[in-house]
Amino acid sequence: MDAAAHPGLFDRQTVGQATTPQEIHVDRASLIRFAEVIGETDPVFLSVKAARAAGHPDIVAPPTYAAVIDMAAMQDAARAGVPDVHALIRADFRYLLHGEETYHYHGPIHAGDRLYHQTTVLGFSDAGGGRMELARLETVIRHPDRGPLVTCQRTLVHRLDTGAER
């Protein structure tokens, strides 16, 4: 079906488009607080001395910190007046559900890193006999010298069978 004629809510003409890269500075104090909040006990996440003894330049971000970077990038985009991925694909939060999400880790994130966060629209599809539409997205958190550190693929879902007017 032609993207313009599709009855769904997502803007299907955005396939292949990407958000404006957002630069994120990884703050040591924030990393330590995050590690403490999630109950992390490995010293490489809490102590510069332990991280350096393990061969890292500074403390290491716990793997789940990628979600914090994702949120920070969306907030920075909003402050800068540039669309985040939800605005790009015209996600309607009244009908939006979170689908599958997978993370692939390519290298550690360290305190002091300056990273770039960007999300690309991979594609759209229908599911549930037309009751849902899916948006497939890929987010890359990249270090300018070390390359991609985290790649996240996620699916967002619009429920189209709500019975409410759209």
Side-chain angles (χ1 to χ4, degrees), residues 66-86:
V68 173
I69 292 171
D70 192 48
M71 293 301 297
M74 286 191 284
Q75 290 171 339
D76 287 353
R79 280 192 288 275
V82 297
D84 68 9
V85 72
H86 298 109

Side-chain angles (χ1 to χ4, degrees), residues 87-104:
L88 180 67
I89 64 173
R90 288 191 357 211
D92 187 329
F93 287 98
R94 296 174 299 169
Y95 309 106
L96 193 66
L97 302 170
H98 185 275
E100 184 178 16
E101 185 169 78
T102 59
Y103 288 85
H104 302 279

Side-chain angles (χ1 to χ4, degrees), residues 30-49:
S30 296
L31 277 183
I32 292 170
R33 275 193 299 277
F34 181 79
E36 289 171 344
V37 165
I38 66 170
E40 188 55 67
T41 59
D42 187 329
V44 299
F45 302 122
L46 301 164
S47 161
V48 175
K49 183 177 177 180

Side-chain angles (χ1 to χ4, degrees), residues 17-157:
Q17 293 183 26
T19 58
T20 301
Q22 295 298 306
E23 183 176 335
I24 302 294
H25 178 258
V26 181
D27 176 69
R28 181 187 295 154
S30 296
L31 277 183
I32 292 170
R33 275 193 299 277
F34 181 79
E36 289 171 344
V37 165
I38 66 170
E40 188 55 67
T41 59
D42 187 329
V44 299
F45 302 122
L46 301 164
S47 161
V48 175
K49 183 177 177 180
R52 288 184 178 152
H56 298 283
D58 210 313
I59 65 169
V60 180
T64 53
Y65 196 74
V68 173
I69 292 171
D70 192 48
M71 293 301 297
M74 286 191 284
Q75 290 171 339
D76 287 353
R79 280 192 288 275
V82 297
D84 68 9
V85 72
H86 298 109
L88 180 67
I89 64 173
R90 288 191 357 211
D92 187 329
F93 287 98
R94 296 174 299 169
Y95 309 106
L96 193 66
L97 302 170
H98 185 275
E100 184 178 16
E101 185 169 78
T102 59
Y103 288 85
H104 302 279
Y105 300 93
H106 311 290
I109 294 171
H110 300 108
D113 278 347
R114 289 211 176 271
L115 306 174
Y116 294 89
H117 172 284
Q118 186 172 38
T119 300
T120 302
V121 180
L122 299 178
F124 298 94
S125 60
D126 299 307
R131 293 186 317 271
M132 296 181 289
E133 64 175 341
L134 311 177
R136 291 182 326 284
L137 310 170
E138 181 176 79
T139 299
V140 177
I141 299 171
R142 175 183 308 279
H143 186 277
D145 299 321
R146 300 191 322 263
L149 301 181
V150 180
T151 303
C152 171
Q153 293 190 345
R154 71 175 55 114
T155 302
L156 297 180
V157 181

